[in-house]
Amino acid sequence: MEQLIRDYTSKLTQALGMKAMQRVPALAAALRDAWQAKRSVFLCGNGGSAGNAVHLANDMLYGVGLNNRRGGLKVEALSANAAVLTCLANDIGYDRIYSEQLRVKAEADDVLIVLSGSGNSANVVKALEMGNQIGMKTFAILAFDGGRCRSLAQHAIHFPIDDMQIAEDLQLTIGHLCMQWLYANPIHEIAPKMSSEADQ
């Protein structure tokens, strides 16, 4: 176990030093622009990446806005609604469970963030294709060779690593970095102090 801890820590540290991290500020800036303009942000992925999409949507909706009158971002994890997912998968195909939601909900200049290890799953590929077609700002956080998503995303944050767990750790790390930066750099609607604080 000790050797595994050393190896895992070493791989994660090495990944965090890769050039892909230099692309994170562009994602943070796009999220802040969407927040300011009241645009929507959509996240999607499969398996653990789908869970990360739900986790980060919560952070962006609530955590980002704790210091802001407006609250956080208008954000949705497309993997969160089991009824919608199973309906779309059954009726039109699993490869369209995200693209169909985007076709109905998304607008130009909204932000799409795809979370994927391989970058080749058909549903996230189609999500990026739909996002580009609509005129969204499309991002993808990827590992392995980046797959088809690497070239489809307008902004690919690609870590050339062959470890799915490290890939999922990086998705959350990037999301948390953006969350903390947005919290520290809010749009100009500062929440008033609560009365008990104002009286002190």
Side-chain angles (χ1 to χ4, degrees):
M1 185 65 189
E2 288 77 9
Q3 184 61 49
L4 175 60
I5 292 172
R6 285 192 292 273
D7 292 345
Y8 195 97
T9 302
S10 176
K11 284 194 289 187
L12 181 58
T13 301
Q14 183 180 5
L16 289 170
M18 290 181 175
K19 289 183 178 179
M21 293 300 291
Q22 297 173 11
R23 295 178 174 266
V24 176
L27 173 59
L31 291 172
R32 193 175 188 281
D33 289 346
W35 192 17
Q36 182 77 54
K38 299 184 179 180
R39 294 291 183 188
S40 295
V41 177
F42 299 93
L43 300 102
C44 64
N46 292 296
S49 300
N52 284 347
V54 176
H55 177 124
L56 293 175
N58 172 66
D59 286 351
M60 291 178 190
L61 184 141
Y62 180 69
V64 165
L66 284 173
N67 192 32
N68 195 280
R69 184 194 305 272
R70 186 191 294 178
L73 281 74
K74 290 172 58 180
V75 58
E76 180 177 353
L78 299 176
S79 54
N81 190 323
V84 169
L85 293 176
T86 53
C87 172
L88 295 177
N90 185 67
D91 287 11
I92 63 176
Y94 192 76
D95 59 331
R96 293 173 59 188
I97 59 173
Y98 297 138
S99 62
E100 179 63 13
Q101 292 188 69
L102 291 173
R103 188 182 72 82
V104 174
K105 300 175 184 177
E107 298 180 353
D109 295 326
D110 287 347
V111 175
L112 171 64
I113 306 171
V114 162
L115 308 177
S116 177
S118 72
N120 281 320
S121 298
N123 54 6
V124 294
V125 167
K126 287 189 179 297
L128 283 170
E129 291 173 342
M130 180 61 71
N132 290 335
Q133 180 181 326
I134 291 171
M136 301 177 73
K137 298 175 182 176
T138 59
F139 292 80
I141 303 173
L142 307 164
F144 298 89
D145 68 1
R148 294 180 61 194
C149 290
R150 186 179 176 187
S151 59
L152 281 171
Q154 297 161 16
H155 304 273
I157 303 175
H158 173 230
F159 296 89
I161 55 170
D162 298 332
D163 188 311
M164 190 60 207
Q165 284 65 55
I166 297 290
E168 291 170 351
D169 291 343
L170 292 167
Q171 295 166 4
L172 283 180
T173 298
I174 290 171
H176 287 157
L177 285 169
C178 290
M179 175 203 163
Q180 291 195 358
W181 183 79
L182 290 166
Y183 177 80
N185 296 275
I187 56 176
H188 299 297
E189 292 190 27
I190 305 300
K193 290 183 178 179
M194 297 178 67
S195 58
S196 60
E197 295 174 337
D199 294 336
Q200 293 177 355

